[in-house]
Amino acid sequence: MRFFEHQDWARRTGRRLLWLYLAAVGLTVAATALLIVWLLPWRTATGGLPLTALAWAAAVVTAVVLGGTLYKVRALSRGGAVVAESLGGQLLRASQADRQQRQLLNVVEEMAIASGMPLPRVYVLPEYGINALAAGLHPRDAVIAVTQGALDRLSRDELQAVVAHEFSHILHGDMRLNMHLAGLLHGLSMIGLSGHYLLLGRPRDYRVREDEDEHGSGGLGWAFGIFGVLLGALLMLVGFVGVVLAGWLQAAVCRQREYLADASAVQFTRQREGLVSALHHIGTGRPLRWHAPQAPAYAHFLFAPLAEDWLLRLSATHPTVLQRIGRINAEAAAELADTLQHAGSGAGGVSDYSGWLAFGSAAGHGGDGQALMTEWQPPDDAPVAAAALDAAAAMLEDIMHVHPEHMAYAAWLRQSLPAVWYAASQDGEQAEALVCALMLSEDEAVAAAQLADIETVDYALALRTAALQRQRQGLQAAHILPLLDLALPALAGLPEGRWPQLQPLLQRLMRADKRQRLHDWCVWTVLHSHLNPPAARASCRWADAHSEIAQVLAWAAGTAADAEEDAYAAAARYAAIGQTLPLRRLSLLQAAVQHLNGLPGTDKARLLAAVLCAVCHRGRPNTAAREYLRALAASLRHPMPPLLDAEAHEVADSVSC
């Protein structure tokens, strides 16, 4: 299955989930109302149940369930940070990260560049078991959270496999589905949670250190008196139906998606040992309870299941570790089964590759003693199967999947980023200057006018932009869009109203030299697509959008320089539209892309394939073509791995750093 098919699956599952939720609400309301009326001394003269009391009980239960759902959905609308912070997560910042945290940031940044996605915010969860999660409604508000136990106990290869697993959930639409599921399940569990609070107080915390005993935090329910205790016990009893149904919904949606995410992680990294070893650590370790009381509500987000009690076993959200390892490596699963039988322990496949911890320095090291690569080195065993395919088909395969080649290229690209530009991408104010600097013209007179325009808006911003522009040496064209991806979390975290204030300025900078620069449009489109809420879009059909498709293909063909007409003709034949090359205008391109956003997913894939026909007409795409493809894909809400330029050829299975 490809990206759009995964997204379609997530949407269909979301619709089925809504129907299942409504059915579960009906069962919960009916069972709870009947139980309430049966337990309380309400009877008709004939000993039957009074319909009025039954109706009132059903109405109250319905209000509680739907109210709980609406409350949780509204709370989760702020994005994945809500989930991470409710579990006690702490946001990681590059300037404050220690060695372990820096390695985690490196791994997440590599995955973001390799998959063509905006960089998620990264959190560390204060738990000592090995676990991780991805949460968010959209890629722009996504977070990756990893437990402290994973940082302490996993090698870099193992950590990369876990992060790749979580990125798969983002790419395939599972993350958004999980957010919706969390809101629905909260409503179903509301009655039981209310009873738990009345009887026992807040859910107790658990210590998670292996060398400490687990002690509860104590209940508060007795403060309500005997009536509160009895009511709490009643609500826990009647709410049990909703809790069980909520768990079953979690399990129904999540189990098969874990297998898919495991398979995708192996595909991304092209090595099974990292994921198998991480799962082996989990399988042979002692189960640890989470201290965060909200953890069960988010169990379906997690990489590994929570420590199971009898209730969790009724609705397991994950396959067992043995089952997951068996899908990847049957021999490793058999070895783990034997290890568990003999109460042994062990971890295999641990690599001594720890990655670099910073970008280039004057000493010529990446920050942890590893020498910097001076140029991209493809491997001796570069894959040759793609050579038998035509260029468009090979590139279409690239655009639909993240491959280990992209991971290796992303690692090299991250390593080669100038330190000052990377540092700017991590800070809100400096990220503003970074975006403005990328918009400055190569013409000194025009650049001076642009800086003067920036100064009229914000004098300090103009100073920061000029300072960054003076250090442009070493910044390559291939760095531009990855830098934007890395800067998106900082830009999204700007004070409210700041980004809308910057947008008119950036548009003026684009028009300053009165030229149509595709590079500026690409920068603007990536920023606008990821920082602005998705606009409502009307559906459109391929047959009715030939003029818009032609405009998009014309700009793609324009990146082919001396072969523009031939490239357009090849793409037009593929798209089955007229072969007359239209006049190119950026305003027409912008309008066309907005209109084509209404195409069905399969037609969006067809459009991207046609663009690839144009840019690959004379071999591998150049930097301008790669920027255009990346911006177009961002506008179509499609993550796109980086397309490697002509100098890179086929990239390595891995990079030795």
Side-chain angles (χ1 to χ4, degrees):
M1 276 201 295
R2 300 188 186 277
F3 172 80
F4 289 114
E5 291 174 332
H6 284 297
Q7 297 293 314
D8 289 341
W9 177 93
R11 282 189 287 270
R12 291 194 305 271
T13 302
R15 289 191 290 268
R16 288 196 295 268
L17 177 61
L18 181 59
W19 286 110
L20 287 173
Y21 166 74
L22 293 175
V25 169
L27 287 173
T28 302
V29 169
T32 305
L34 285 170
L35 194 54
I36 289 175
V37 175
W38 180 74
L39 289 173
L40 295 180
W42 296 336
R43 294 289 186 275
T44 63
T46 60
L49 297 178
L51 294 180
T52 302
L54 192 62
W56 274 107
V60 170
V61 173
T62 301
V64 170
V65 171
L66 296 182
T69 295
L70 292 176
Y71 166 80
K72 194 66 173 182
V73 168
R74 181 176 178 83
L76 292 174
S77 65
R78 294 194 295 114
V82 176
V83 176
E85 291 169 6
S86 70
L87 295 174
Q90 295 293 317
L91 179 65
L92 283 190
R93 302 184 186 278
S95 59
Q96 302 170 355
D98 61 24
R99 182 183 179 88
Q100 286 182 331
Q101 295 168 348
R102 179 66 261 178
Q103 179 172 266
L104 172 61
L105 288 173
N106 287 349
V107 169
V108 175
E109 287 165 358
E110 288 174 15
M111 278 300 310
I113 293 173
S115 59
M117 291 177 54
L119 178 68
R121 296 182 183 182
V122 183
Y123 284 78
V124 172
L125 302 176
E127 305 287 346
Y128 287 81
I130 297 174
N131 227 317
L133 63 87
L137 290 168
H138 308 281
R140 67 176 182 276
D141 61 34
V143 304
I144 296 284
V146 176
T147 61
Q148 185 62 46
L151 296 184
D152 292 339
R153 298 166 60 187
L154 297 184
S155 71
R156 193 184 197 277
D157 284 348
E158 293 163 350
L159 186 63
Q160 185 183 59
V162 171
V163 169
H165 174 104
E166 298 307 326
F167 263 85
S168 172
H169 286 311
I170 301 176
L171 287 167
H172 296 152
D174 303 337
M175 174 186 71
R176 181 181 177 88
L177 182 63
N178 286 342
M179 293 288 281
H180 291 159
L181 183 59
L184 302 182
L185 299 185
H186 184 77
L188 289 174
S189 305
M190 271 298 294
I191 298 173
L193 292 174
S194 301
H196 193 288
Y197 180 77
L198 287 172
L199 184 62
L200 303 173
R202 293 182 181 275
R204 70 174 188 155
D205 292 349
Y206 294 96
R207 296 182 184 271
V208 290
R209 289 188 183 275
E210 295 182 2
D211 57 349
E212 293 181 355
D213 295 328
E214 296 178 357
H215 297 291
S217 59
L220 302 175
W222 289 94
F224 291 90
I226 190 63
F227 177 77
V229 171
L230 292 176
L231 181 60
L234 174 64
L235 290 176
M236 286 188 69
L237 177 62
V238 299
F240 179 76
V241 176
V243 172
V244 171
L245 289 175
W248 285 349
L249 277 179
Q250 276 184 318
V253 171
C254 301
R255 289 176 64 86
Q256 291 303 316
R257 304 306 286 177
E258 292 303 315
Y259 286 130
L260 173 62
D262 286 344
S264 296
V266 173
Q267 175 194 339
F268 294 168
T269 59
R270 193 179 283 173
Q271 53 100 5
R272 300 178 299 175
E273 290 77 15
L275 185 60
V276 168
S277 183
L279 290 170
H280 192 280
H281 281 301
I282 295 168
T284 57
R286 186 167 68 88
L288 301 173
R289 284 190 178 274
W290 282 49
H291 79 279
Q294 297 86 355
Y298 300 121
H300 55 291
F301 285 87
L302 300 177
F303 173 75
L306 297 173
E308 293 186 347
D309 54 27
W310 69 272
L311 182 58
L312 287 175
R313 281 193 291 270
L314 289 177
S315 54
T317 56
H318 293 65
T320 66
V321 169
L322 278 174
Q323 289 172 330
R324 292 171 68 179
I325 293 179
R327 291 283 187 103
I328 304 168
N329 188 329
E331 293 181 2
E335 179 182 342
L336 176 59
D338 184 65
T339 299
L340 294 176
Q341 285 179 355
H342 292 83
S345 63
V350 178
S351 168
D352 60 358
Y353 172 49
S354 60
W356 48 84
L357 300 183
F359 290 89
S361 62
H365 294 287
D368 61 349
Q370 296 183 21
L372 286 171
M373 295 174 59
T374 57
E375 59 181 349
W376 174 248
Q377 297 291 342
D380 294 334
D381 58 344
V384 297
L389 303 175
D390 61 274
M395 297 289 21
L396 181 58
E397 184 69 12
D398 282 343
I399 204 173
M400 290 297 184
H401 295 289
V402 179
H403 296 300
E405 296 84 34
H406 299 121
M407 294 291 298
Y409 179 74
W412 168 79
L413 194 63
R414 278 186 58 262
Q415 186 186 13
S416 65
L417 281 173
V420 66
W421 286 84
Y422 171 77
S425 73
Q426 302 299 297
D427 175 78
E429 291 185 346
Q430 290 294 332
E432 293 177 345
L434 181 150
V435 173
C436 291
L438 294 179
M439 289 285 194
L440 294 182
S441 172
E442 297 177 357
D443 187 301
E444 293 185 3
V446 175
Q450 289 173 314
L451 286 171
D453 190 3
I454 298 171
E455 187 174 333
T456 62
V457 175
D458 187 328
Y459 180 72
L461 176 60
L463 292 179
R464 293 194 298 269
T465 303
L468 200 55
Q469 178 67 4
R470 286 194 293 271
Q471 302 187 64
R472 188 136 187 166
Q473 184 177 7
L475 187 67
Q476 304 174 27
H479 292 150
I480 304 301
L481 294 189
L483 266 176
L484 287 182
D485 287 333
L486 296 180
L488 286 172
L491 293 170
L494 291 174
E496 187 175 356
R498 181 61 174 172
W499 171 243
Q501 181 184 357
L502 285 175
Q503 292 185 70
L505 171 63
L506 296 177
Q507 290 175 327
R508 292 198 303 273
L509 296 181
M510 288 175 60
R511 297 191 295 264
D513 59 0
K514 299 179 173 57
R515 294 170 52 197
Q516 295 191 106
R517 295 204 306 169
L518 185 60
H519 167 77
D520 290 343
W521 180 86
C522 293
V523 171
W524 166 257
T525 299
V526 170
L527 291 171
H528 185 271
S529 298
H530 292 305
L531 295 177
N532 289 11
R537 58 196 184 198
S539 60
C540 69
R541 299 188 310 156
W542 186 275
D544 300 330
H546 283 191
S547 61
E548 289 82 4
I549 296 168
Q551 185 68 206
V552 170
L553 297 184
W555 281 96
T559 65
D562 57 339
E564 178 178 356
E565 291 187 0
D566 291 344
Y568 178 81
R573 284 194 300 271
Y574 184 92
I577 64 172
Q579 298 192 20
T580 302
L581 182 65
L583 178 67
R584 296 200 309 266
R585 295 183 63 88
L586 283 180
S587 59
L588 295 177
L589 174 62
Q590 184 65 26
V593 170
Q594 291 176 353
H595 182 69
L596 294 174
N597 246 311
L599 287 172
T602 52
D603 284 342
K604 287 181 180 179
R606 182 182 177 188
L607 175 64
L608 291 173
V611 171
L612 288 167
C613 283
V615 301
C616 295
H617 182 67
R618 291 286 180 90
R620 305 286 291 188
N622 55 27
T623 299
R626 291 190 290 113
E627 285 190 343
Y628 180 63
L629 277 164
R630 172 70 176 85
L632 180 62
S635 183
L636 295 176
R637 312 293 175 184
H638 182 288
M640 192 197 77
L643 297 181
L644 308 180
D645 59 23
E647 296 178 357
H649 302 292
E650 296 294 339
V651 291
D653 285 341
S654 60
V655 181
S656 300
C657 300

